[in-house]
Amino acid sequence: TADELERNERLGGVGCRRRRAEDARFIQGKGNYVDDIQLPGMVYGDFVRSPHAHARIKAIHKDKALAMPGVHAVLTAEDLAPLGLHWMPTLAGDKQMVLADGKVCFQNQEVAMVIADDRYIAADAIEMVEVEYEELPALVDPHRAMDDDAVVIRDDLEGQTEGAHSKRIHHNHVFTWDVGDAEATDRVFSEAAVTVKQDMLYPRVHPCPLETCGCVASFDKVKGELTVHLTSQAPHVVRTVFSTLSGIPESKVHINAPDIGGGFGNKVGVYPGYVVATVASIVLGRPVKWIEDRIENLSTTAFARDYHMTGELAATEDGRILGLRAYVLADHGAFDACADPSKWPAGFFNICTGSYDIKTAYARVDGVYTNKTPGGVAYRCSFRVTEACYFIERMIDVLAVKLGMDKAEIRMKNFIQPEQFPYQSALGWEYDSGDYPTALQQVMDACDYQGLRREQREKRERGEIMGIGLCTFTEIVGAGPTRNCDILGVGMFDSAEIRVHPTGSVIARMGTKTQGQGHETTYGQIIASEIGLPSENIIIEEGNTDTAPYGLGTYGSRSTPVAGAATARAARKIRDKAQKIAAHLMEVSEDDLEWTGEGFRVKGVPDQVTDMPKIAWAAYNNVPEGMEPGLEAVDYYDPPNMTYPFGAYLCVVDIDRYTGETAIRRFYALDDCGTRINPMIIEGQVHGGLCEAFAVAMGQELPYDGAGNIQGASLMDYFLPTMVETPYWELDHTVTPSPHHPIGAKGVGESSHVGGIPCFSNAINDALEQFGSGHVNMPHNAYRVWQTLHALKLDQ
Amino acid sequence: MGKHAVTVTINGQSTDVAVDSRELLIHTLRDRLRLTGAHIGCETSHCGACTVDLDGASVKSCTVLTAQCQGADIRTVEGLAGADGLHPLQEAFFQEHGLQCGFCTPGMLMRAYRFLQENPSPTAEEIRHGMAGNLCRCTGYQNIINAVQAASGKMNQPEAESAE
């Protein structure tokens, strides 16, 4: 209502474009990031890393390094082994070497850590550590990983035929995971009038946050307590893991995630740097700082994607999709450290039926080891939804081409309809809500889709190459229900704790951790709307595990769905108590009161009102008999389902046929994430995600050569767009609330990356396939596009 | 290794430091002088998170030796706000939502500070080129461009008024 809107504007509540509470410190250089931390007696740790992708370690000579002034220690696996810390568990249920244990399995792997007075001396000392290697053949092609004669990467798993997720059928096999009705799907395909099949690669890329990973570990020998400041998206999980690994009780492990310079999924897991710096601090009894450089970040921390996918669709001749079959070969690198809920080794790839009513489907994923860096889930992927979305959105286009059907028309024809929600998908997810036809139509109207197609036909006759990309995606975010979602056994709830002070200001903390998404601003907006106190006086904190309630962290766009829900529910508990206090103050029955948005009034007597500041004060000095003083509440929220935001994106590209260079003429993105807490923040999230999508589709990759050398892992080659390359973004939205969420809000942070990449790639493919190119893989940089043009003799 | 005695003016204050010849300016600022606003995002001189204003030029301080800075006049993000409050650029980044994680922000601000002196009324296209030495991973740049344009408008306003 208009009243509500006006009140929300005044309070800085839900729906308003509230300016950010975080900005004041960041625009003045007063943020507090890990490398800003200096502690008395602090020393610096850095790694000796492997030049080889696969080699045995014959000897490590520390003497020259140790003899250097300012060097305190050189730690190797031998030093960690007595503590059982030369290996560590991963979120995927595998284990990973902390320091090379007898061999190295990927290039730049951690071999030894040097501890020195400062980072300059540490760098010198690293050069003085001599490591003798005996090279082994490197395995880089996942398609060869399960050959009979493939080299054994994981000696430590020899004889283990049972992995964390399934039987292992080969020494380089990690898991097989499948879902859906295989037989019924095969039947649909054998009977269908039309079938298409397409191989496609989602290349290995990297989230590359501008701030790399790092930590300051400080063990207090007197108190027996460990404090670690670190770049973590999930600090409570890190505390539990560190306590388990070190044997230090969780109450004596103080994990603090301060301001984080972007995470993008790179900072979910535990890296060897955190572990070795912590061990070094325990050994030396002084703080140890570890800050990696960019090349180390790109080449040794969590990569994203590397899914080799084969897709099949079965359809009627008029374009009704009857069945879907997906097979994926997943390259996980040398250790399976893929961040996932523990029962989901391929994440939520089974959302790959997308926005379409496909009754019969089957998907299978095989993970393999290769001599590469671990990772997989990162970079706004929502647990492999990027891959699932790319898969279905490319396949839809492939089918449209085969049928000679328009790409918007085939989508309209197969959309799940608004009245079908909640919709049970063939691969097991229950979509909460959606209105896909309206969204796509709105985009087509805004961009004059028919006019663009006309222009494309005319251009083609003139020999100009233009492509129109569409993507109509469904996301799945907000992991998740504890019945099937857990991280290392901890259910994937999240939490909020809200405390109202006597004078009506508020401190609130959540179990998530912002890395720039604006939580300190937007959680305050939820509280402001729920309890009628202005958000400017609501302080939001996250990241300190001593003070914040236990939560599972921020990734998978789960903050709004889970901690956002907990925040609203905790605030409602406060409001319920406030109502009792108000009834006591006004000497009426609780049932006679109604909520005004800022307090309570007696029904039918508008001038009998009391507001929240008065109630807060009374909570500390005048509560009904038998009621606890104070005004605060906690909520741990176990979501009943995920949220399923969606979007319709359109991209227009023009390709120079002689150089292969692509100009993005237009990118139009409509997102629907239900109730919008802060439109300004959502728009910023979408801009950022689209920029990533542009980068991934058009230039980013982390290739390995045949010897296992990682290539392009620095900003010399790794494509991060500047302002010059980055397109101008046009945004739009519709609002289809999540029926199960306390405020109807869905997650959104990753949508634009998930949906953006297929939209760009579809535009390139749309431009080229009219010449018979078939599917072309990403990245679509000028050289690659030119290669396609050249093969088709279009560049002459 | 002998230390170099270097005197620089930072944010208007004369400061003496003693550094090894190889010490990078970014480390002197951050680790020695505790001006931790400027950041490090790469080691190949691309990202511009370390940008400071040095003798009237935007400089990536990861690519300058402190020993080269004898007598230099340096401004960092900490010195951008004046006695009368935030610089119009800081205000505009806040108003236009030109930052998220804040890691690129100090470098962006210091580059924009110099850029608007080089070109007081830039077009969006000129901003894109003028600030192409600064990478951002969060914003997709659009709101940063808006912020620089808004600041430019605001900074040109008093002149326009007095000219009337």
Side-chain angles (χ1 to χ4, degrees):
Chain A
T1 66
D3 270 4
E4 249 173 277
L5 274 179
E6 196 258 73
R7 187 169 55 243
N8 273 336
E9 281 294 334
R10 183 156 31 84
L11 293 173
V14 168
C16 76
R17 303 174 69 87
R18 183 186 175 207
R19 299 300 186 273
R20 297 201 330 157
E22 294 89 336
D23 288 5
R25 64 181 188 273
F26 294 152
I27 58 178
Q28 299 184 76
K30 299 296 182 195
N32 182 39
Y33 304 88
V34 167
D35 197 19
D36 300 343
I37 295 169
Q38 279 192 8
L39 298 175
M42 188 176 79
V43 289
Y44 291 73
D46 206 351
F47 285 113
V48 176
R49 293 179 180 275
S50 169
H52 299 294
H54 200 193
R56 295 210 184 282
I57 295 182
K58 290 158 67 184
I60 302 175
H61 304 287
K62 312 174 174 182
D63 304 0
K64 286 183 192 163
L66 282 171
M68 293 173 65
V71 174
H72 299 276
V74 179
L75 300 176
T76 63
E78 272 181 32
D79 301 300
L80 304 189
L83 305 165
L85 288 174
H86 53 322
W87 289 75
M88 63 180 181
T90 69
L91 295 176
D94 193 4
K95 54 186 180 147
Q96 174 178 357
M97 287 182 202
V98 174
L99 289 172
D101 182 25
K103 72 183 287 195
V104 289
C105 298
F106 62 92
Q107 192 179 51
N108 285 358
Q109 188 183 329
E110 300 80 2
V111 174
M113 183 180 262
V114 168
I115 311 291
D117 279 340
D118 65 39
R119 55 186 115 214
Y120 286 73
I121 298 171
D124 288 342
I126 285 167
E127 298 298 319
M128 302 306 284
V129 176
E130 288 169 17
V131 185
E132 291 178 47
Y133 295 96
E134 176 192 327
E135 275 192 79
L136 298 167
L139 171 64
V140 291
D141 180 357
H143 295 279
R144 308 294 304 277
M146 294 200 282
D147 285 359
D148 290 342
D149 60 349
V151 67
V152 177
I153 296 174
R154 295 291 298 277
D155 304 317
D156 61 294
L157 297 179
E158 202 183 340
Q160 287 190 28
T161 53
E162 215 38 66
H165 302 290
S166 72
K167 281 211 171 332
R168 296 175 62 234
I169 55 172
H170 183 277
H171 55 258
N172 291 325
H173 180 239
V174 190
F175 65 85
T176 298
W177 181 79
D178 70 344
V179 59
D181 190 334
E183 275 178 41
T185 306
D186 290 347
R187 209 159 43 239
V188 166
F189 273 85
S190 66
E191 292 165 3
V194 180
T195 61
V196 288
K197 184 172 186 175
Q198 182 63 56
D199 291 331
M200 59 184 87
L201 168 64
Y202 210 139
R204 180 177 279 236
V205 290
H206 194 279
C208 193
L210 199 56
E211 177 202 37
T212 60
C213 299
C215 71
V216 178
S218 179
F219 182 67
D220 183 331
K221 277 191 164 167
V222 175
K223 292 160 85 181
E225 297 183 20
L226 173 68
T227 302
V228 188
H229 307 271
L230 82 175
T231 48
S232 175
Q233 297 178 218
H236 285 94
V237 175
V238 169
R239 184 183 71 191
T240 302
V241 170
F242 271 42
S243 171
T244 310
L245 291 182
S246 67
I248 302 170
E250 219 167 331
S251 55
K252 296 181 183 178
V253 177
H254 314 289
I255 298 291
N256 178 43
D259 291 325
I260 296 179
F264 311 111
N266 190 228
K267 296 169 179 171
V268 173
V270 171
Y271 293 118
Y274 305 153
V275 175
V276 190
T278 299
V279 172
S281 179
I282 292 170
V283 171
L284 298 171
R286 55 198 292 189
V288 177
K289 177 184 274 190
W290 167 70
I291 305 288
E292 69 186 359
D293 69 28
R294 173 58 53 203
I295 293 171
E296 295 170 318
N297 175 256
L298 281 168
S299 62
T300 70
T301 63
F303 74 90
R305 320 300 140 84
D306 220 341
Y307 260 29
H308 301 244
M309 307 189 278
T310 303
E312 292 177 273
L313 290 179
T316 59
E317 274 166 4
D318 62 350
R320 164 71 63 185
I321 302 169
L322 302 171
L324 174 149
R325 212 158 36 192
Y327 174 69
V328 178
L329 181 64
D331 185 341
H332 280 230
F335 309 98
D336 187 10
C338 186
D340 271 319
S342 65
K343 297 180 184 72
W344 302 90
F348 304 151
F349 181 77
N350 55 320
I351 193 80
C352 65
T353 51
S355 306
Y356 313 103
D357 186 14
I358 303 174
K359 299 276 193 255
T360 312
Y362 173 74
R364 168 180 165 151
V365 180
D366 279 282
V368 295
Y369 293 120
T370 57
N371 287 116
K372 302 177 191 172
T373 302
V377 160
Y379 209 8
R380 273 184 162 117
C381 80
S382 312
F383 302 120
R384 301 291 189 185
V385 182
T386 33
E387 291 90 326
C389 178
Y390 187 78
F391 174 91
I392 182 64
E393 289 301 304
R394 278 276 53 237
M395 288 310 300
I396 286 271
D397 273 21
V398 167
L399 177 61
V401 170
K402 164 104 175 200
L403 294 169
M405 198 169 166
D406 179 79
K407 287 165 183 169
E409 188 191 342
I410 195 170
R411 287 174 163 80
M412 285 292 192
K413 183 159 201 144
N414 288 286
F415 276 148
I416 301 162
Q417 296 299 311
E419 63 275 12
Q420 288 178 274
F421 294 91
Y423 172 83
Q424 189 67 45
S425 83
L427 294 181
W429 297 114
E430 187 185 283
Y431 298 14
D432 57 352
S433 64
D435 183 350
Y436 306 151
T438 300
L440 178 56
Q441 194 59 52
Q442 192 164 318
V443 171
M444 289 168 69
D445 292 346
C447 300
D448 182 20
Y449 179 75
Q450 302 307 339
L452 287 170
R453 286 292 177 201
R454 233 179 356 259
E455 181 192 349
Q456 186 183 34
R457 284 192 295 275
E458 291 161 10
K459 282 223 157 117
R460 191 184 165 186
E461 302 200 342
R462 294 202 299 269
E464 294 169 44
I465 304 177
M466 166 182 168
I468 302 164
L470 288 177
C471 177
T472 48
F473 63 91
T474 296
E475 253 273 39
I476 167 169
V477 297
T482 59
R483 66 178 180 275
N484 60 12
C485 288
D486 68 272
I487 295 288
L488 295 176
V490 182
M492 291 184 74
F493 58 84
D494 222 290
S495 61
E497 185 182 291
I498 307 172
R499 186 177 305 158
V500 183
H501 301 315
T503 51
S505 63
V506 176
I507 174 93
R509 301 185 177 102
M510 290 79 189
T512 44
K513 174 61 205 174
T514 187
Q515 315 116 48
Q517 300 93 329
H519 294 179
E520 292 172 41
T521 303
T522 50
Y523 285 140
Q525 292 180 249
I526 297 175
I527 297 170
S529 284
E530 292 293 338
I531 63 172
L533 289 166
S535 57
E536 64 181 326
N537 297 334
I538 300 172
I539 292 287
I540 304 293
E541 293 179 351
E542 299 168 296
N544 182 335
T545 56
D546 287 348
T547 54
Y550 200 109
L552 276 285
T554 292
Y555 44 83
S557 302
R558 65 186 300 279
S559 299
T560 293
V562 196
T567 300
R569 284 167 33 120
R572 286 170 193 178
K573 290 176 188 172
I574 287 174
R575 200 164 84 188
D576 287 346
K577 180 171 181 181
Q579 186 163 0
K580 292 186 171 64
I581 296 171
H584 168 70
L585 291 178
M586 298 165 87
E587 297 181 334
V588 294
S589 151
E590 213 187 312
D591 300 335
D592 293 334
L593 292 176
E594 62 185 4
W595 175 244
T596 66
E598 289 171 89
F600 294 92
R601 81 176 147 235
V602 179
K603 286 178 193 165
V605 193
D607 61 338
Q608 278 207 45
V609 184
T610 188
D611 63 15
M612 281 300 289
K614 282 200 202 88
I615 295 167
W617 181 251
Y620 286 85
N621 64 22
N622 182 15
V623 292
E625 205 177 318
M627 179 186 273
E628 270 184 55
L631 190 58
E632 60 184 79
V634 181
D635 191 79
Y636 281 70
Y637 183 71
D638 179 1
N641 191 0
M642 316 286 183
T643 66
Y644 299 73
F646 60 95
Y649 291 180
L650 184 147
C651 173
V652 184
V653 301
D654 295 303
I655 296 177
D656 183 315
R657 59 189 293 167
Y658 303 106
T659 66
E661 284 171 300
T662 300
I664 310 296
R665 194 200 310 173
R666 189 161 194 192
F667 200 102
Y668 194 94
L670 180 150
D671 277 283
D672 186 325
C673 56
T675 305
R676 291 154 65 86
I677 298 165
N678 183 329
M680 176 190 84
I681 299 245
I682 292 170
E683 287 161 16
Q685 288 293 304
V686 176
H687 289 165
L690 291 177
C691 186
E692 289 176 354
F694 169 66
V696 169
M698 305 307 289
Q700 285 183 352
E701 60 179 329
L702 278 183
Y704 285 77
D705 72 9
N709 295 302
I710 188 166
Q711 302 187 315
S714 82
L715 299 192
M716 298 296 287
D717 299 291
Y718 192 70
F719 176 50
L720 297 187
T722 74
M723 282 185 205
V724 173
E725 295 88 29
T726 302
Y728 176 79
W729 312 114
E730 295 174 80
L731 307 192
D732 199 349
H733 70 276
T734 52
V735 177
T736 312
S738 172
H740 64 74
H741 188 274
I743 63 169
K746 305 182 182 184
V748 70
E750 296 167 322
S751 289
S752 50
H753 186 117
V754 165
I757 291 161
C759 191
F760 281 109
S761 188
N762 277 351
I764 297 292
N765 275 283
D766 182 73
L768 298 175
E769 72 205 359
Q770 53 186 319
F771 304 104
S773 66
H775 165 83
V776 288
N777 278 327
M778 297 185 289
H780 305 297
N781 58 32
Y783 177 62
R784 301 275 190 109
V785 173
W786 173 82
Q787 282 181 308
T788 304
L789 295 166
H790 186 66
L792 295 166
K793 299 193 181 357
L794 287 167
D795 62 330
Q796 286 143 35
Chain B
M1 224 179 312
K3 299 269 184 190
H4 296 260
V6 179
T7 302
V8 289
T9 302
I10 297 184
N11 299 327
Q13 282 203 321
S14 179
T15 308
D16 298 322
V17 290
V19 296
D20 288 342
S21 14
R22 66 177 177 172
E23 185 162 307
L24 300 172
L25 177 58
I26 183 65
H27 287 132
T28 304
L29 293 173
R30 289 181 47 81
D31 294 351
R32 225 174 268 286
L33 302 174
R34 304 298 293 134
L35 294 167
T36 54
H39 292 135
I40 302 170
C42 72
E43 58 274 0
T44 48
S45 201
H46 288 87
C47 80
C50 63
T51 303
V52 299
D53 201 75
L54 192 153
D55 289 337
S58 295
V59 163
K60 292 180 177 178
S61 63
C62 76
T63 314
V64 177
L65 298 170
T66 306
Q68 292 174 290
C69 295
Q70 172 57 37
D73 187 8
I74 297 170
R75 188 182 289 262
T76 68
V77 71
E78 289 88 349
L80 200 52
D84 47 349
L86 294 177
H87 188 279
L89 271 165
Q90 292 170 310
E91 182 64 31
F93 270 62
F94 171 61
Q95 288 297 339
E96 300 295 326
H97 188 32
L99 62 147
Q100 292 179 27
C101 81
F103 203 74
C104 77
T105 309
M108 283 284 177
L109 284 167
M110 294 319 295
R111 174 57 196 141
Y113 164 79
R114 178 54 49 192
F115 174 66
L116 286 183
Q117 293 178 52
E118 295 161 359
N119 183 351
S121 304
T123 63
E125 207 49 36
E126 287 168 342
I127 294 170
R128 284 179 187 268
H129 281 90
M131 301 201 38
N134 292 73
L135 295 173
C136 170
R137 296 295 287 144
C138 296
T139 65
Y141 298 112
Q142 199 146 307
N143 288 345
I144 293 180
I145 296 159
N146 292 343
V148 175
Q149 267 192 320
S152 141
K154 195 158 185 189
M155 288 162 73
N156 292 332
Q157 226 168 24
E159 271 177 61
E161 276 166 12
S162 63
E164 273 168 21

